[in-house]
Amino acid sequence: MEGASQTRDYRLANAAISVADEFPFCRSSVRSFRRGEVIAGAGVLVDMFARVQRGLVSASTMLSDGREFIVEMIPKAGLIGELEVLRGEMLNLEYRAGSDCELHFFEGRLLRERCANDPRFQEKVFSRALARVAELQLRIIANAGSCLQSRLASTLLRLSSVYGRDAANNGDELVISQHDLAATLPASREKVNQCLRRLRERKVIDAAQGKIHILNRKALEAYAYGATTLQ
């Protein structure tokens, strides 16, 4: 069942991104961000939304114990802030550059006008948002019943799917710090480092300088689905 849920995760994410590929708006500005830079903070009311043109953006919140939780990594063609613009709400997540990236920004009124005049387009926007919510729910459910090694392997596979949407990356190289990886699970950095070290020892991955290379995808899938354990 866990393996089926993870496969559905990847399918939902891919379906969500295809909607953003059909984009009808003229940008109002273009901005580039360096890895780690804050793009937009939580609790801010803005009347603009953005599309990721290049790179990755992380969306995060703070847990009750003060730890950061990276809710999702938004890849190329992903949208930021579209629902908040439609609802007139403040951003509830903080957005940071997960890698060097370029974003195109658009006026909120363009989205509102298009949705008001084109019910089919509005349906696509909300369907995409529901797919993202469903993916997060499935991930939380899977994490609740999984050990750290399974969660880590599943996360690496999911991020590989995200990175693989960029034609310049085949998905086997992940540019992510150990801090961000721990925040994505979420788990302590020390425990994540221990699991990464064991995966390196078994030649499943290689990791250095904020990058993780997947060397043996089949073995990583076995860890994700609980067929193999790290001792």
Side-chain angles (χ1 to χ4, degrees):
M1 290 297 294
E2 183 182 340
S5 296
Q6 289 162 348
T7 300
R8 188 182 173 194
D9 275 2
Y10 308 142
R11 289 176 178 173
L12 282 170
N14 288 331
I17 202 66
S18 65
V19 176
D21 289 336
E22 305 168 10
F23 208 66
F25 306 113
C26 295
R27 67 191 183 219
S28 62
S29 62
V30 178
R31 290 188 61 189
S32 296
F33 297 87
R34 300 295 300 272
R35 181 180 178 183
E37 280 191 272
V38 175
I39 296 168
V44 176
L45 181 63
V46 294
D47 196 26
M48 297 191 75
F49 64 104
R51 171 184 165 109
V52 181
Q53 190 67 16
R54 174 176 57 83
L56 289 169
V57 173
S58 68
S60 64
T61 187
M62 298 302 293
L63 299 175
S64 58
D65 60 5
R67 288 183 299 163
E68 179 187 15
F69 174 35
I70 296 180
V71 178
E72 65 175 331
M73 297 293 288
I74 304 169
K76 179 181 178 180
L79 300 181
I80 297 171
E82 72 276 22
L83 287 184
E84 289 83 354
V85 161
L86 288 174
R87 295 172 175 172
E89 298 176 345
M90 294 186 294
L91 296 175
N92 54 21
L93 296 174
E94 179 181 86
Y95 296 93
R96 286 187 293 114
S99 66
D100 291 350
C101 61
E102 177 185 296
L103 271 67
H104 291 187
F105 290 84
F106 306 87
E107 296 180 20
R109 66 174 180 82
L110 298 176
L111 183 61
R112 290 192 295 272
E113 290 172 359
R114 179 63 185 264
C115 286
N117 296 323
D118 188 345
R120 293 183 64 184
F121 180 79
Q122 183 183 51
E123 182 180 354
K124 286 183 178 181
V125 172
F126 282 105
S127 294
R128 175 181 178 275
L130 287 174
R132 288 168 67 181
V133 172
E135 187 272 336
L136 176 60
Q137 289 176 332
L138 287 171
R139 180 152 44 97
I140 291 174
I141 291 170
N143 284 350
S146 304
C147 63
L148 179 57
Q149 69 173 36
S150 177
R151 288 160 50 201
L152 174 60
S154 297
T155 296
L156 293 177
L157 289 170
R158 178 171 56 83
L159 292 176
S160 172
S161 176
V162 171
Y163 279 80
R165 292 177 195 142
D166 189 334
N169 192 318
N170 63 9
D172 287 337
E173 180 179 282
L174 314 181
V175 182
I176 186 169
S177 68
Q178 291 183 0
H179 169 82
D180 284 354
L181 183 58
T184 300
L185 290 165
S188 72
R189 183 171 174 176
E190 291 75 14
K191 291 182 179 179
V192 171
N193 287 345
Q194 291 174 7
C195 284
L196 287 174
R197 185 177 66 252
R198 294 188 184 111
L199 288 173
R200 287 197 303 269
E201 290 170 351
R202 288 159 177 76
K203 308 299 183 183
V204 177
I205 66 166
D206 190 17
Q209 298 180 343
K211 294 182 180 180
I212 295 176
H213 298 264
I214 297 175
L215 304 177
N216 189 334
R217 187 172 294 270
K218 288 185 177 180
L220 193 62
E221 290 172 350
Y223 287 116
Y225 303 148
T228 306
T229 59
L230 293 170
Q231 299 296 332

